[in-house]
Amino acid sequence: MPLTEQLRATVATLLHVTGQTQADLAAAIGVSQPQVSRRQRGSATWSLHDCEVLAAHFGIHVMDLLAGPTRACQGLGQDRARNPQRQVHAP
C-alpha cells in the first residue's frame, strides 16, 4: 500500500478510535473540515508538516503515524482512545 494511502487509513483509524470527527480534527490542527476531507479522500495530500501536527495532536511519534494504523494505535495513550480495549489491526 502506498504511503499516502496508509497515512489516510491511519488518520481514519485514529479518528475512529478516539471518537473524533473530521471537524474535530480540523479545529485541533488549524485547517478547515473540507481540507481534512480532501486529504482523506486523496484529492489533496497530507504534507510532512501536517504529519508532525497530526502526530502531536494524537500524542504519538510521527514515525508511529507513518508506520500505519496498528502502530499508531499502539502509541496512542489509553486516555485518548474512546474504547481502550479495542484492538486495531492493519488491513
Side-chain angles (χ1 to χ4, degrees):
M1 173 184 306
L3 183 57
T4 54
E5 288 179 31
Q6 183 168 297
L7 180 57
R8 288 194 304 269
T10 300
V11 171
T13 300
L14 288 169
L15 289 174
H16 178 74
V17 169
T18 61
Q20 294 180 44
T21 65
Q22 286 186 358
D24 296 331
L25 179 61
I29 66 171
V31 299
S32 69
Q33 184 278 325
Q35 288 174 310
V36 171
S37 180
R38 283 191 294 277
R39 291 171 180 149
Q40 284 300 99
R41 281 193 325 266
S43 58
T45 59
W46 291 105
S47 70
L48 289 176
H49 174 74
D50 293 332
C51 290
E52 292 175 338
V53 173
L54 288 167
H57 169 69
F58 288 112
I60 62 176
H61 192 279
V62 72
M63 295 308 289
D64 290 338
L65 178 74
L66 296 173
T70 300
R71 181 101 162 263
C73 288
Q74 289 169 345
L76 196 62
Q78 292 296 317
D79 59 327
R80 296 291 311 247
R82 79 173 162 193
N83 184 354
Q85 303 308 318
R86 181 179 183 83
Q87 292 188 8
V88 178
H89 301 284

Coordinates of all heavy atoms in Angstrom, one line a residue:
M1 N 0.9 -1.2 0.0 CA 0.0 0.0 0.0 C 0.9 1.2 0.0 O 1.8 1.3 0.8 CB -0.9 0.0 1.3 CG -1.7 1.2 1.5 SD -2.7 1.3 3.0 CE -3.7 -0.2 2.9
P2 N 0.6 2.2 -0.9 CA 1.4 3.4 -0.9 C 1.3 4.2 0.4 O 0.3 4.1 1.1 CB 0.8 4.2 -2.1 CG 0.1 3.2 -2.9 CD -0.3 2.1 -2.0
L3 N 2.4 4.9 0.7 CA 2.4 5.6 2.0 C 1.3 6.6 2.1 O 0.7 6.7 3.2 CB 3.8 6.3 2.1 CG 4.0 7.1 3.4 CD1 3.9 6.2 4.6 CD2 5.4 7.7 3.4
T4 N 0.9 7.2 1.0 CA -0.2 8.2 1.1 C -1.5 7.5 1.5 O -2.3 8.1 2.4 CB -0.4 9.0 -0.2 OG1 -0.6 8.0 -1.3 CG2 0.8 9.9 -0.5
E5 N -1.8 6.4 1.0 CA -3.0 5.6 1.3 C -2.9 5.1 2.8 O -3.9 5.1 3.5 CB -3.2 4.4 0.4 CG -3.6 4.8 -1.0 CD -3.8 3.6 -1.9 OE1 -4.1 2.5 -1.4 OE2 -3.5 3.7 -3.1
Q6 N -1.7 4.7 3.2 CA -1.5 4.2 4.5 C -1.8 5.3 5.5 O -2.4 5.1 6.6 CB -0.1 3.6 4.7 CG 0.1 3.0 6.1 CD 1.4 2.2 6.1 OE1 1.5 1.2 5.4 NE2 2.4 2.7 6.9
L7 N -1.3 6.5 5.2 CA -1.5 7.6 6.1 C -3.0 8.0 6.2 O -3.5 8.2 7.3 CB -0.7 8.8 5.6 CG -0.8 10.1 6.5 CD1 -0.4 9.9 7.9 CD2 0.0 11.2 5.9
R8 N -3.7 7.9 5.1 CA -5.1 8.2 5.2 C -5.8 7.2 6.0 O -6.7 7.5 6.8 CB -5.7 8.3 3.8 CG -5.3 9.5 3.0 CD -6.2 9.7 1.8 NE -6.1 8.6 0.8 CZ -5.3 8.5 -0.2 NH1 -4.3 9.4 -0.4 NH2 -5.4 7.5 -1.0
A9 N -5.4 5.9 5.9 CA -6.0 4.8 6.7 C -5.7 5.0 8.2 O -6.5 4.8 9.0 CB -5.5 3.5 6.2
T10 N -4.5 5.5 8.4 CA -4.1 5.7 9.8 C -4.9 6.8 10.4 O -5.4 6.7 11.6 CB -2.6 6.0 9.9 OG1 -1.8 4.9 9.4 CG2 -2.1 6.3 11.3
V11 N -5.0 7.9 9.7 CA -5.8 9.0 10.2 C -7.3 8.6 10.5 O -7.9 8.9 11.5 CB -5.7 10.3 9.3 CG1 -6.7 11.4 9.7 CG2 -4.3 10.8 9.3
A12 N -7.8 7.9 9.5 CA -9.2 7.4 9.7 C -9.4 6.5 10.9 O -10.3 6.6 11.7 CB -9.7 6.7 8.4
T13 N -8.4 5.6 11.1 CA -8.4 4.7 12.3 C -8.3 5.5 13.6 O -9.0 5.3 14.5 CB -7.3 3.7 12.1 OG1 -7.5 2.9 10.9 CG2 -7.3 2.8 13.3
L14 N -7.4 6.5 13.6 CA -7.2 7.3 14.8 C -8.5 8.1 15.1 O -8.9 8.2 16.3 CB -6.0 8.2 14.7 CG -4.6 7.5 14.7 CD1 -3.5 8.4 14.3 CD2 -4.4 6.9 16.1
L15 N -9.1 8.6 14.1 CA -10.4 9.3 14.3 C -11.4 8.4 14.9 O -12.1 8.7 15.9 CB -10.9 9.9 13.0 CG -10.1 11.1 12.5 CD1 -10.6 11.5 11.1 CD2 -10.1 12.3 13.4
H16 N -11.5 7.2 14.4 CA -12.5 6.2 14.8 C -12.2 5.8 16.3 O -13.1 5.8 17.1 CB -12.5 5.0 13.9 CG -13.4 3.9 14.4 ND1 -14.8 4.0 14.3 CD2 -13.2 2.8 15.0 CE1 -15.4 3.0 14.8 NE2 -14.4 2.2 15.2
V17 N -11.0 5.5 16.6 CA -10.6 5.0 17.9 C -10.8 6.1 19.0 O -11.1 5.8 20.1 CB -9.1 4.4 17.9 CG1 -8.6 4.2 19.3 CG2 -9.1 3.2 17.0
T18 N -10.5 7.3 18.6 CA -10.6 8.4 19.6 C -12.0 9.0 19.6 O -12.3 9.9 20.5 CB -9.6 9.5 19.3 OG1 -9.8 10.1 18.0 CG2 -8.1 9.0 19.4
G19 N -12.8 8.6 18.7 CA -14.2 9.2 18.6 C -14.3 10.6 18.1 O -15.3 11.3 18.3
Q20 N -13.3 11.0 17.4 CA -13.2 12.4 16.8 C -13.8 12.4 15.4 O -13.8 11.4 14.7 CB -11.8 12.9 16.8 CG -11.2 13.1 18.1 CD -9.8 13.6 18.0 OE1 -9.5 14.5 17.2 NE2 -8.9 13.0 18.8
T21 N -14.3 13.5 15.0 CA -14.8 13.7 13.7 C -13.7 14.5 12.9 O -12.8 15.0 13.4 CB -16.1 14.5 13.6 OG1 -15.8 15.9 14.1 CG2 -17.2 13.9 14.5
Q22 N -14.0 14.5 11.6 CA -13.1 15.4 10.7 C -13.1 16.8 11.2 O -12.1 17.5 11.2 CB -13.4 15.3 9.3 CG -13.0 13.9 8.6 CD -13.3 13.9 7.1 OE1 -13.8 14.9 6.6 NE2 -12.9 12.8 6.5
A23 N -14.3 17.3 11.6 CA -14.4 18.7 12.1 C -13.6 18.9 13.3 O -13.0 19.9 13.5 CB -15.9 19.0 12.3
D24 N -13.6 17.9 14.2 CA -12.8 18.0 15.5 C -11.4 18.1 15.1 O -10.6 18.9 15.7 CB -13.1 16.7 16.4 CG -14.5 16.6 16.9 OD1 -15.2 17.6 17.1 OD2 -14.9 15.4 17.1
L25 N -10.9 17.2 14.2 CA -9.5 17.2 13.8 C -9.1 18.5 13.2 O -8.1 19.1 13.5 CB -9.2 16.0 12.9 CG -7.8 15.9 12.4 CD1 -6.8 15.7 13.6 CD2 -7.7 14.8 11.4
A26 N -10.0 19.0 12.3 CA -9.7 20.2 11.6 C -9.5 21.4 12.6 O -8.5 22.1 12.5 CB -10.8 20.6 10.6
A27 N -10.4 21.5 13.5 CA -10.3 22.6 14.5 C -9.0 22.4 15.3 O -8.3 23.4 15.6 CB -11.5 22.5 15.5
A28 N -8.6 21.2 15.7 CA -7.4 21.0 16.5 C -6.1 21.3 15.8 O -5.2 21.7 16.4 CB -7.4 19.5 17.0
I29 N -6.1 21.0 14.5 CA -4.8 21.2 13.7 C -4.8 22.5 12.9 O -3.9 22.8 12.2 CB -4.5 20.0 12.9 CG1 -5.5 19.8 11.7 CG2 -4.4 18.7 13.7 CD1 -5.1 18.8 10.7
G30 N -5.9 23.3 13.0 CA -5.9 24.6 12.4 C -6.2 24.6 10.9 O -5.6 25.5 10.2
V31 N -7.0 23.7 10.4 CA -7.4 23.7 9.0 C -8.9 23.6 9.0 O -9.5 23.4 10.0 CB -6.7 22.6 8.2 CG1 -5.2 22.7 8.2 CG2 -7.2 21.2 8.6
S32 N -9.5 23.7 7.8 CA -11.0 23.6 7.7 C -11.3 22.1 7.5 O -10.5 21.3 7.1 CB -11.5 24.4 6.5 OG -11.1 23.8 5.3
Q33 N -12.6 21.8 7.9 CA -13.0 20.4 7.7 C -13.0 20.0 6.2 O -12.6 18.8 5.9 CB -14.5 20.3 8.3 CG -15.0 18.8 8.2 CD -15.6 18.4 6.9 OE1 -16.2 19.2 6.2 NE2 -15.4 17.2 6.5
P34 N -13.3 20.9 5.3 CA -13.2 20.4 3.9 C -11.8 20.1 3.5 O -11.5 19.2 2.7 CB -13.7 21.6 3.1 CG -14.7 22.3 4.0 CD -14.1 22.1 5.4
Q35 N -10.8 20.8 4.1 CA -9.4 20.5 3.8 C -9.0 19.1 4.3 O -8.4 18.3 3.6 CB -8.4 21.5 4.4 CG -8.5 22.8 3.7 CD -7.6 23.9 4.5 OE1 -7.8 24.1 5.7 NE2 -6.8 24.5 3.8
V36 N -9.5 18.7 5.5 CA -9.3 17.4 6.0 C -10.0 16.4 5.1 O -9.4 15.4 4.8 CB -9.8 17.3 7.5 CG1 -9.8 15.8 8.0 CG2 -9.0 18.1 8.4
S37 N -11.2 16.7 4.7 CA -11.9 15.8 3.8 C -11.2 15.5 2.5 O -11.0 14.4 2.1 CB -13.3 16.3 3.6 OG -14.0 15.4 2.7
R38 N -10.6 16.6 1.9 CA -9.9 16.4 0.7 C -8.7 15.6 0.9 O -8.3 14.7 0.0 CB -9.5 17.8 0.1 CG -10.7 18.5 -0.6 CD -10.2 19.7 -1.4 NE -9.7 20.8 -0.6 CZ -10.4 21.7 0.1 NH1 -11.7 21.7 0.0 NH2 -9.8 22.6 0.8
R39 N -8.0 15.8 2.0 CA -6.8 15.0 2.2 C -7.2 13.5 2.5 O -6.5 12.6 2.0 CB -6.0 15.6 3.4 CG -5.4 16.9 3.1 CD -4.8 17.6 4.2 NE -4.2 18.9 3.8 CZ -4.2 20.0 4.5 NH1 -4.7 19.9 5.8 NH2 -3.7 21.1 4.1
Q40 N -8.3 13.3 3.2 CA -8.7 11.9 3.4 C -9.2 11.2 2.2 O -9.1 10.0 2.1 CB -9.7 11.9 4.6 CG -9.1 12.1 5.9 CD -8.0 11.0 6.3 OE1 -6.8 11.2 6.1 NE2 -8.5 9.9 6.7
R41 N -9.8 12.0 1.3 CA -10.3 11.4 0.0 C -9.1 11.1 -1.0 O -9.3 10.4 -1.9 CB -11.3 12.3 -0.7 CG -12.7 12.3 -0.1 CD -13.7 13.0 -1.0 NE -13.2 14.1 -1.7 CZ -13.3 15.4 -1.3 NH1 -13.9 15.7 -0.2 NH2 -12.8 16.4 -2.0
G42 N -8.0 11.8 -0.8 CA -6.9 11.7 -1.7 C -6.8 12.7 -2.8 O -6.0 12.7 -3.6
S43 N -7.7 13.7 -2.8 CA -7.7 14.8 -3.8 C -6.7 15.8 -3.4 O -6.3 16.7 -4.2 CB -9.1 15.4 -4.0 OG -9.6 15.9 -2.9
A44 N -6.2 15.8 -2.2 CA -5.1 16.6 -1.7 C -4.2 15.7 -0.8 O -4.7 14.6 -0.4 CB -5.6 17.8 -0.9
T45 N -3.0 16.1 -0.5 CA -2.1 15.2 0.3 C -1.8 15.8 1.6 O -1.8 17.0 1.8 CB -0.8 14.9 -0.5 OG1 -0.1 16.1 -0.7 CG2 -1.1 14.1 -1.8
W46 N -1.5 15.0 2.6 CA -1.0 15.4 3.9 C 0.5 15.7 3.7 O 1.2 14.9 3.1 CB -1.1 14.3 4.9 CG -2.5 14.0 5.3 CD1 -3.3 12.9 5.0 CD2 -3.4 14.7 6.2 NE1 -4.5 12.9 5.5 CE2 -4.6 14.1 6.3 CE3 -3.2 15.9 6.9 CZ2 -5.7 14.5 7.1 CZ3 -4.3 16.4 7.6 CH2 -5.5 15.7 7.7
S47 N 0.9 16.9 4.1 CA 2.3 17.3 4.0 C 3.1 16.7 5.1 O 2.5 16.2 6.1 CB 2.4 18.8 4.0 OG 2.1 19.4 5.2
L48 N 4.4 16.9 5.0 CA 5.3 16.4 6.2 C 4.9 17.3 7.4 O 4.9 16.8 8.5 CB 6.7 16.6 5.8 CG 7.2 15.5 4.8 CD1 8.7 15.8 4.5 CD2 7.1 14.1 5.3
H49 N 4.7 18.6 7.2 CA 4.3 19.4 8.3 C 3.0 18.9 8.9 O 2.9 18.9 10.2 CB 4.2 20.9 7.9 CG 3.7 21.8 9.0 ND1 4.5 22.2 10.1 CD2 2.5 22.3 9.2 CE1 3.7 22.9 10.9 NE2 2.5 23.0 10.3
D50 N 2.1 18.6 8.1 CA 0.8 18.1 8.6 C 1.0 16.8 9.4 O 0.4 16.6 10.5 CB -0.1 17.7 7.4 CG -0.6 18.9 6.6 OD1 -0.7 20.0 7.2 OD2 -0.9 18.7 5.4
C51 N 1.9 16.0 9.0 CA 2.2 14.7 9.7 C 2.7 15.1 11.1 O 2.3 14.4 12.1 CB 3.2 13.9 9.0 SG 2.5 13.1 7.5
E52 N 3.6 16.1 11.2 CA 4.1 16.5 12.5 C 3.0 17.0 13.4 O 2.9 16.6 14.6 CB 5.2 17.5 12.4 CG 6.4 17.0 11.8 CD 7.5 18.1 11.5 OE1 7.1 19.3 11.4 OE2 8.6 17.8 11.4
V53 N 2.1 17.8 12.8 CA 0.9 18.3 13.6 C 0.0 17.2 14.0 O -0.5 17.2 15.1 CB 0.2 19.5 12.8 CG1 -1.0 19.9 13.4 CG2 1.2 20.6 12.5
L54 N -0.3 16.3 13.1 CA -1.2 15.2 13.4 C -0.7 14.3 14.5 O -1.4 14.0 15.5 CB -1.4 14.3 12.1 CG -2.3 14.9 11.0 CD1 -2.1 14.0 9.8 CD2 -3.7 14.9 11.4
A55 N 0.6 14.0 14.4 CA 1.2 13.2 15.5 C 1.2 13.9 16.8 O 0.8 13.3 17.8 CB 2.7 12.9 15.1
A56 N 1.5 15.2 16.8 CA 1.4 15.9 18.1 C 0.0 15.9 18.6 O -0.3 15.8 19.8 CB 1.9 17.4 17.9
H57 N -1.0 16.1 17.7 CA -2.4 16.2 18.2 C -2.8 14.8 18.8 O -3.5 14.8 19.9 CB -3.3 16.4 17.0 CG -4.8 16.2 17.3 ND1 -5.5 17.0 18.2 CD2 -5.6 15.3 16.9 CE1 -6.7 16.6 18.3 NE2 -6.8 15.5 17.5
F58 N -2.4 13.7 18.2 CA -2.8 12.4 18.8 C -1.8 12.0 19.9 O -2.1 10.9 20.5 CB -2.9 11.4 17.6 CG -4.1 11.6 16.7 CD1 -3.9 12.0 15.4 CD2 -5.3 11.3 17.2 CE1 -5.0 12.1 14.6 CE2 -6.4 11.5 16.4 CZ -6.3 11.9 15.1
G59 N -0.8 12.7 20.1 CA 0.2 12.3 21.2 C 1.0 11.1 20.8 O 1.4 10.4 21.7
I60 N 1.4 11.0 19.6 CA 2.2 9.9 19.2 C 3.4 10.4 18.4 O 3.4 11.5 18.0 CB 1.4 8.9 18.3 CG1 0.9 9.5 17.0 CG2 0.2 8.2 19.0 CD1 0.2 8.6 16.0
H61 N 4.4 9.5 18.2 CA 5.6 9.9 17.5 C 5.2 9.9 16.0 O 4.4 9.1 15.5 CB 6.7 8.9 17.7 CG 8.0 9.3 17.2 ND1 8.4 9.2 15.9 CD2 9.1 9.9 17.9 CE1 9.6 9.6 15.8 NE2 10.0 10.1 16.9
V62 N 5.8 10.8 15.2 CA 5.5 10.9 13.8 C 5.8 9.6 13.1 O 5.1 9.2 12.1 CB 6.2 12.1 13.2 CG1 7.7 11.9 13.0 CG2 5.5 12.5 11.8
M63 N 6.8 8.9 13.5 CA 7.2 7.6 12.8 C 6.1 6.6 13.1 O 5.8 5.7 12.2 CB 8.5 7.1 13.3 CG 9.7 8.0 12.8 SD 9.7 8.4 11.1 CE 10.2 6.9 10.4
D64 N 5.4 6.6 14.2 CA 4.3 5.7 14.5 C 3.1 6.1 13.6 O 2.4 5.2 13.1 CB 3.9 5.8 16.0 CG 4.9 5.2 16.9 OD1 5.7 4.3 16.4 OD2 4.9 5.5 18.1
L65 N 2.9 7.3 13.4 CA 1.9 7.8 12.5 C 2.1 7.2 11.1 O 1.2 6.7 10.4 CB 1.8 9.3 12.4 CG 0.7 9.9 11.5 CD1 -0.6 9.8 12.1 CD2 1.1 11.4 11.3
L66 N 3.3 7.3 10.6 CA 3.7 6.9 9.3 C 3.8 5.3 9.1 O 3.7 4.8 8.0 CB 5.0 7.5 8.8 CG 4.9 9.0 8.7 CD1 6.3 9.6 8.4 CD2 3.9 9.5 7.6
A67 N 3.9 4.6 10.3 CA 4.0 3.2 10.2 C 2.7 2.5 10.0 O 2.7 1.3 9.8 CB 4.7 2.7 11.5
G68 N 1.6 3.1 10.1 CA 0.3 2.5 9.9 C -0.6 2.5 11.1 O -0.2 2.9 12.2
P69 N -1.8 2.1 10.8 CA -2.9 2.1 11.9 C -2.5 1.4 13.1 O -2.7 1.9 14.2 CB -4.1 1.6 11.2 CG -3.9 1.7 9.7 CD -2.4 1.6 9.5
T70 N -2.0 0.2 13.0 CA -1.7 -0.6 14.2 C -0.7 0.0 15.1 O -0.9 0.2 16.3 CB -1.3 -2.1 13.8 OG1 -2.3 -2.7 13.0 CG2 -1.0 -2.9 15.0
R71 N 0.4 0.4 14.5 CA 1.5 1.1 15.2 C 1.0 2.4 15.8 O 1.3 2.7 17.0 CB 2.7 1.2 14.3 CG 3.9 1.9 15.0 CD 4.9 0.8 15.4 NE 6.1 1.6 15.7 CZ 7.1 1.7 14.8 NH1 7.1 1.1 13.6 NH2 8.2 2.4 15.1
A72 N 0.3 3.2 15.1 CA -0.2 4.5 15.6 C -1.1 4.2 16.8 O -1.0 5.0 17.8 CB -1.0 5.2 14.5
C73 N -2.0 3.2 16.7 CA -2.9 3.0 17.8 C -2.2 2.4 19.0 O -2.5 2.7 20.2 CB -4.0 2.0 17.4 SG -5.2 2.8 16.3
Q74 N -1.1 1.7 18.8 CA -0.3 1.2 19.9 C 0.4 2.4 20.6 O 0.6 2.3 21.8 CB 0.8 0.2 19.4 CG 0.2 -1.1 19.0 CD 1.2 -2.0 18.3 OE1 2.3 -1.5 17.8 NE2 0.8 -3.3 18.1
G75 N 0.7 3.4 19.9 CA 1.4 4.6 20.5 C 0.4 5.5 21.2 O 0.8 6.4 21.9
L76 N -0.9 5.3 20.9 CA -1.9 6.2 21.4 C -2.1 5.9 22.9 O -2.3 4.7 23.3 CB -3.2 5.9 20.6 CG -4.4 6.9 20.7 CD1 -4.0 8.2 20.2 CD2 -5.6 6.3 20.0
G77 N -2.1 6.9 23.7 CA -2.4 6.7 25.1 C -3.7 6.2 25.4 O -4.7 6.5 24.7
Q78 N -3.9 5.3 26.4 CA -5.1 4.7 26.8 C -6.2 5.8 27.1 O -7.4 5.6 26.8 CB -5.0 3.8 28.0 CG -4.2 2.6 27.7 CD -4.8 1.7 26.6 OE1 -6.0 1.4 26.7 NE2 -4.0 1.2 25.7
D79 N -5.8 7.0 27.6 CA -6.7 8.0 27.9 C -7.2 8.7 26.6 O -8.2 9.4 26.7 CB -6.1 9.1 28.8 CG -4.8 9.7 28.2 OD1 -4.1 9.0 27.4 OD2 -4.6 10.9 28.5
R80 N -6.6 8.5 25.5 CA -7.1 9.1 24.2 C -8.1 8.3 23.5 O -8.9 8.8 22.7 CB -5.9 9.3 23.3 CG -4.8 10.3 23.7 CD -5.3 11.7 23.8 NE -5.9 12.1 22.6 CZ -5.5 13.0 21.7 NH1 -4.4 13.6 21.9 NH2 -6.1 13.3 20.6
A81 N -8.1 7.0 23.7 CA -9.0 6.1 23.0 C -10.4 6.1 23.7 O -10.4 6.0 24.9 CB -8.4 4.7 22.9
R82 N -11.4 6.2 22.9 CA -12.7 6.2 23.5 C -13.1 4.8 24.0 O -13.9 4.6 24.8 CB -13.8 6.7 22.5 CG -14.2 5.7 21.5 CD -15.3 6.1 20.6 NE -15.3 5.3 19.4 CZ -16.0 5.4 18.4 NH1 -16.7 6.5 18.2 NH2 -15.9 4.6 17.4
N83 N -12.4 3.8 23.4 CA -12.6 2.4 23.8 C -11.2 1.8 23.9 O -10.7 1.2 23.0 CB -13.5 1.6 22.8 CG -13.7 0.2 23.3 OD1 -13.2 -0.3 24.3 ND2 -14.6 -0.5 22.6
P84 N -10.6 1.9 25.1 CA -9.2 1.5 25.2 C -9.0 0.0 25.0 O -7.9 -0.5 24.7 CB -8.8 1.8 26.7 CG -9.9 2.7 27.1 CD -11.1 2.5 26.3
Q85 N -10.0 -0.8 25.1 CA -9.9 -2.3 24.9 C -9.9 -2.7 23.4 O -9.5 -3.8 23.1 CB -11.0 -3.0 25.6 CG -11.2 -2.7 27.1 CD -9.9 -2.9 27.9 OE1 -9.2 -3.9 27.6 NE2 -9.5 -2.0 28.7
R86 N -10.3 -1.8 22.6 CA -10.4 -2.0 21.1 C -9.0 -2.3 20.6 O -8.1 -1.5 20.7 CB -11.0 -0.9 20.4 CG -11.2 -1.1 19.0 CD -11.9 0.1 18.3 NE -12.1 -0.1 17.0 CZ -13.1 -0.8 16.5 NH1 -14.1 -1.2 17.3 NH2 -13.3 -0.9 15.2
Q87 N -8.9 -3.4 19.9 CA -7.6 -3.7 19.2 C -7.8 -3.4 17.7 O -8.7 -3.8 17.1 CB -7.2 -5.1 19.4 CG -6.8 -5.4 20.8 CD -6.3 -6.8 21.0 OE1 -6.0 -7.5 20.0 NE2 -6.1 -7.2 22.2
V88 N -6.8 -2.7 17.2 CA -6.9 -2.3 15.8 C -5.8 -3.1 15.0 O -4.6 -3.2 15.5 CB -6.7 -0.8 15.6 CG1 -6.7 -0.5 14.1 CG2 -7.7 -0.1 16.3
H89 N -6.1 -3.7 13.9 CA -5.2 -4.5 13.1 C -5.2 -3.9 11.7 O -6.2 -3.5 11.2 CB -5.6 -5.9 13.1 CG -5.6 -6.6 14.4 ND1 -4.5 -6.9 15.1 CD2 -6.7 -6.9 15.2 CE1 -4.9 -7.5 16.3 NE2 -6.2 -7.4 16.4
A90 N -4.0 -3.8 11.2 CA -3.8 -3.3 9.8 C -4.5 -4.2 8.8 O -4.5 -5.4 9.0 CB -2.3 -3.1 9.5
P91 N -5.0 -3.6 7.8 CA -5.7 -4.4 6.7 C -4.7 -5.3 6.0 O -3.6 -5.1 5.9 CB -6.3 -3.3 5.8 CG -5.7 -2.0 6.1 CD -5.0 -2.2 7.5

